[in-house]
Amino acid sequence: MPLDYYLILSAVLFVIGVAGVVTRRNAIIIFMSLELMLNAVNLSMVAFSAFSGDISGQMFVFFIMAVAAAEAAVGLAIVLALFRNKQTVYVDEINIMKW
């Protein structure tokens, strides 16, 4: 399969993730959209790595997966804490950082 197909799929996934972050107000969906964007980057890195024959792209994928796992754990903990205090996960209704 040519490299173009992987890059097009990666770009589509990244755009869907950006649209989810920009348009949605639910914190859980925003986190899922962030994960989708990170996986789109992973897909393009693996595709470039496979087509160039260099393994460094695949090593970056492991680093990105570790960062994504840490982001998900910390983000979900923050969302749970906010839900316990505010009874909502919509970012528009959470205004504890505002003056």
Side-chain angles (χ1 to χ4, degrees):
M1 219 190 272
L3 179 63
D4 297 339
Y5 294 158
Y6 295 109
L7 295 180
I8 290 170
L9 177 63
S10 174
V12 168
L13 290 175
F14 193 83
V15 168
I16 291 171
V18 168
V21 168
V22 171
T23 60
R24 298 303 210 145
R25 296 295 161 235
N26 189 332
I28 302 296
I29 294 176
I30 292 172
F31 281 124
M32 290 171 47
S33 298
L34 284 173
E35 294 292 329
L36 192 62
M37 289 192 306
L38 289 173
N39 283 326
V41 171
N42 283 342
L43 178 64
S44 64
M45 281 189 166
V46 167
F48 280 124
S49 176
F51 278 92
S52 68
D54 189 14
I55 197 167
S56 62
Q58 295 175 10
M59 297 304 292
F60 279 118
V61 168
F62 283 119
F63 178 73
I64 290 172
M65 288 172 72
V67 170
E71 175 259 336
V74 171
L76 288 176
I78 291 171
V79 168
L80 279 175
L82 287 173
F83 183 75
R84 286 183 183 165
N85 291 331
K86 295 288 186 177
Q87 302 297 321
T88 185
V89 291
Y90 289 98
V91 293
D92 289 341
E93 299 173 8
I94 300 169
N95 57 2
I96 59 174
M97 298 292 284
K98 290 182 180 177
W99 287 89

